[in-house]
Amino acid sequence: VSSAAARMEVTAAYAEKHGVFQLFEGLLQSLIVTKPDDPIAHLIDLVSAPPKDTAQASKAPKGMPRLLLLGGPASGAEEVAAAAARRYGTVHVSASLLLQAAASRGTAASRALLPYMAANVSEVPSECLGPLVVDRLRSDDVRRRGFLLTGFPNNEAQCEFLERAGIWVRSTLLLDIDEAAAAHALIASRVDPVTGTEYHPDQVAWPTDPAVLERLVQHPSRAEAQVLASLQSWRAGKAQLLAAFPDHIIVDASRPSLALEERLGAILLGKGVGP
């Protein structure tokens, strides 16, 4: 047998053993079906995703953090995520901050986002918010350091948007809070319009200066009707999210902030998913 024929036999055996042809067929099919704006980024997401088979997925390498942090109104998810990302060196991808930044650019596209600025981020259509999130998740710093995602997805449609874009998460954690406690935390809060500081009567930091007390106001988004509507929207989306990410972890959002940061850190550092 010639050396060329021998090399061909070795190559064919390798391709058959590792399913190389099936792999490329699957990648090509995904490109044709999903038609992503960035084919290379889409392929990278596909080949780096853990196997869908449960038995195989448990053997997948940890790799970069890909953590989705879920949390409804008053859960503190945004604040905890930002602190944990700084502490553990990953990228906090906040859908609400992305929306604010995009709406402030002064372009025709940004003006289309303005009607949603007063709304809860969960009420923004997927076609408006989704591309902002996906583009950020495909950026170079996220590829190097991983991500901690908040504010998206909020419902089944947004989960499907991420799936079509080839975006997957390695871990999902829910900061859970009792609805009555959440409503009280939001409705009773007051804002100092001069400094922008937010206060709550149950907190030690409630101001004692009569001048400050005199000017405290309720933020429009904290009006009772608005808060109850946001909680109802979150309740409906929460069931869809937990169904979409069945391996989620639930943590009590009332735990001290530092304990919550460390809980996220255990996941970001790949040290397990215990309580």
Side-chain angles (χ1 to χ4, degrees), residues 30 55 65 93 114-115 141 144 164 168 228 256 265 272:
S30 179
V93 178
L114 292 177
D141 60 335
R144 292 193 306 269
R164 288 195 301 272
W168 57 279
L228 295 180

Side-chain angles (χ1 to χ4, degrees), residues 138-209:
R138 288 175 173 167
S139 57
D140 289 340
D141 60 335
V142 171
R143 293 193 183 284
R144 292 193 306 269
R145 297 160 51 201
F147 64 79
L148 202 174
L149 173 62
T150 57
F152 193 94
N154 292 288
N155 49 50
E156 185 178 14
Q158 293 181 352
C159 291
E160 293 172 351
F161 185 95
L162 287 184
E163 185 176 3
R164 288 195 301 272
I167 301 296
W168 57 279
V169 299
R170 198 183 299 278
S171 310
T172 304
L173 188 145
L174 166 66
L175 289 185
D176 205 19
I177 183 171
D178 176 74
E179 273 198 27
H184 174 68
L186 296 172
I187 296 171
S189 67
R190 294 295 182 268
V191 177
D192 182 346
V194 175
T195 64
T197 304
E198 184 172 335
Y199 299 97
H200 194 281
D202 293 346
Q203 296 175 342
V204 177
W206 184 258
T208 56
D209 185 338

Side-chain angles (χ1 to χ4, degrees), residues 258-274:
L258 184 58
L260 294 175
E261 286 179 37
E262 292 174 348
R263 184 66 192 85
L264 291 179
I267 299 174
L268 295 172
L269 297 175
K271 295 184 177 179
V273 292

Side-chain angles (χ1 to χ4, degrees), residues 69-271:
L69 181 62
L70 305 174
S75 67
E78 290 285 328
E79 294 80 2
V80 172
R86 286 193 300 270
R87 182 175 178 181
Y88 296 101
T90 193
V91 180
H92 176 208
V93 178
S94 166
S96 60
L97 293 180
L98 290 173
L99 180 64
Q100 293 173 25
S104 65
R105 289 174 188 152
T107 63
S110 67
R111 286 191 290 273
L113 298 172
L114 292 177
Y116 303 108
M117 291 306 299
N120 188 294
V121 69
S122 64
E123 300 167 7
V124 182
S126 300
E127 59 270 21
C128 293
L129 188 55
L132 300 176
V133 174
V134 169
D135 286 349
R136 185 68 184 94
L137 290 173
R138 288 175 173 167
S139 57
D140 289 340
D141 60 335
V142 171
R143 293 193 183 284
R144 292 193 306 269
R145 297 160 51 201
F147 64 79
L148 202 174
L149 173 62
T150 57
F152 193 94
N154 292 288
N155 49 50
E156 185 178 14
Q158 293 181 352
C159 291
E160 293 172 351
F161 185 95
L162 287 184
E163 185 176 3
R164 288 195 301 272
I167 301 296
W168 57 279
V169 299
R170 198 183 299 278
S171 310
T172 304
L173 188 145
L174 166 66
L175 289 185
D176 205 19
I177 183 171
D178 176 74
E179 273 198 27
H184 174 68
L186 296 172
I187 296 171
S189 67
R190 294 295 182 268
V191 177
D192 182 346
V194 175
T195 64
T197 304
E198 184 172 335
Y199 299 97
H200 194 281
D202 293 346
Q203 296 175 342
V204 177
W206 184 258
T208 56
D209 185 338
V212 176
L213 288 170
E214 180 69 23
R215 65 178 183 246
L216 293 183
V217 296
Q218 185 182 54
H219 192 280
S221 66
R222 304 300 171 86
E224 183 174 359
Q226 188 89 354
V227 168
L228 295 180
S230 294
L231 287 170
Q232 182 179 10
S233 174
W234 163 249
R235 190 188 316 127
K238 175 181 172 182
Q240 298 174 6
L241 291 171
L242 297 186
F245 302 99
D247 295 328
H248 59 268
I249 306 162
I250 299 179
V251 174
D252 184 357
S254 66
R255 293 172 64 178
S257 297
L258 184 58
L260 294 175
E261 286 179 37
E262 292 174 348
R263 184 66 192 85
L264 291 179
I267 299 174
L268 295 172
L269 297 175
K271 295 184 177 179

